[in-house]
Amino acid sequence: MLGESHSLANDFPEYQAIITKLVQSDAVFAKEVKQYDALDKEIRVLELNGAPIDDDAMHQLKHDRAELKDALYQQLNNHS
C-alpha cells in the first residue's frame, strides 16, 4: 500500500522491548534505526506525492531500505 509506514515497531511489534533497549544502549543500532526511519519516510513522501522520481531511483531506495531492515532484524534476532 502506498504511503504505508514500515517502521520497525510496526513490522516487528514482538521486538518492541528489544528495539527500545538497543536504541538506548547501542549507538550503532540507534544510528541505523534513525537512518532506516529517514529512508522509510523519504519513500512514503515520494509515494504520496506521486513518486516524482524515476522507477530505477525508487527501486534503489526500496532496495536500500530492505537491506537495512534485514540487517536490523538480524541484530534484533541475535538479542532475543
Side-chain angles (χ1 to χ4, degrees):
M1 178 181 272
L2 293 179
E4 184 177 335
S5 174
H6 289 279
S7 72
L8 293 179
N10 283 348
D11 288 353
F12 305 121
E14 69 276 15
Y15 287 108
Q16 184 58 49
I18 297 170
I19 293 169
T20 301
K21 178 184 170 194
L22 288 175
V23 165
Q24 294 172 351
S25 65
D26 184 333
V28 173
F29 183 84
K31 181 181 176 184
E32 290 173 348
V33 169
K34 187 174 181 178
Q35 180 184 2
Y36 176 83
D37 288 343
L39 188 55
D40 184 52
K41 181 178 179 182
E42 179 181 2
I43 291 167
R44 280 195 325 273
V45 168
L46 288 168
E47 287 176 340
L48 293 172
N49 288 326
I53 61 174
D54 64 47
D55 288 344
D56 289 337
M58 180 63 89
H59 176 75
Q60 185 63 51
L61 288 173
K62 289 183 176 184
H63 174 79
D64 293 346
R65 178 180 65 185
E67 282 192 339
L68 188 51
K69 185 177 194 173
D70 287 346
L72 290 165
Y73 176 76
Q74 287 301 319
Q75 291 178 59
L76 291 172
N77 206 24
N78 290 340
H79 284 87
S80 63

